Amino acid sequence: MRYLIIVGCGASKRPNRSRAVDLYTGPLFKSHLDLLASAGLAPTHILSALHGLISADTMIDPYERRLPTTKAGRAVWGELVLSHGAEHTGADVTWVVLAGGPYADPWRAQAEALGTRVLEPLRGLTQGTRRAVAKCCRGDKAAALAALGLVGQC
């Protein structure tokens, strides 16, 4: 089983060109990174409102873009995500997504139709609760893996 560890972008960013994983500076993004680090994991990809699905190591410039708000706009963005992630779909792949529903809803059904397993372990939790989960799991690999729904899988 291959895993893509995907974190949603954030509005707060560094002012200069950076690796995608280093560009975003908001508290929720940082909490997601902390939770992953506690589990001994690192993000492999970022869901970007501008770029779609990109490697965490991709160098990008700061930008101001929010996710589309119209149904048609969300569908186009979802297609962008899947086109960038096409090589990472199929029955042997699990996408672990740390992002709000609006980041996963536009592409989730299509990814699952391709056989890809999609886990959203924190789906439905408020931003404050997500940050609290990360804080509670800090330094506790077993708790972090459990919070991520990955006990016995990684």
Side-chain angles (χ1 to χ4, degrees):
M1 180 69 62
R2 293 183 298 141
Y3 291 89
L4 262 67
I5 309 296
I6 303 168
V7 179
C9 69
S12 298
K13 298 171 189 74
R14 294 177 187 264
N16 52 328
R17 184 174 180 82
S18 303
R19 292 183 324 145
V21 70
D22 298 325
L23 181 67
Y24 307 100
T25 60
L28 182 60
F29 186 84
K30 293 296 187 186
S31 291
H32 286 158
L33 294 185
D34 288 345
L35 180 59
L36 291 169
S38 292
L41 301 170
T44 60
H45 291 78
I46 305 296
L47 280 170
S48 163
L50 177 63
H51 302 287
L53 183 69
I54 57 174
S55 167
D57 292 327
T58 300
M59 294 295 293
I60 58 175
D61 292 312
Y63 61 90
E64 293 299 324
R65 169 84 52 96
R66 296 203 178 274
L67 288 177
T69 57
T70 66
K71 186 175 181 177
R74 286 189 303 271
V76 169
W77 184 78
E79 289 295 329
L80 176 67
V81 169
L82 285 178
S83 71
H84 291 168
E87 65 196 58
H88 304 292
T89 58
D92 67 331
V93 182
T94 297
W95 289 18
V96 180
V97 182
L98 299 180
Y103 280 87
D105 292 344
W107 52 262
R108 181 182 180 132
Q110 291 170 304
E112 290 175 334
L114 295 169
T116 305
R117 183 173 174 221
V118 179
L119 293 178
E120 294 179 81
L122 305 180
R123 186 176 182 101
L125 299 181
T126 66
Q127 290 186 15
T129 302
R130 287 169 179 252
R131 291 192 309 266
V133 167
K135 185 176 181 180
C136 287
C137 294
R138 189 169 291 140
D140 186 338
K141 184 174 184 174
L145 285 170
L148 293 168
L150 296 174
V151 172
Q153 297 183 46
C154 290

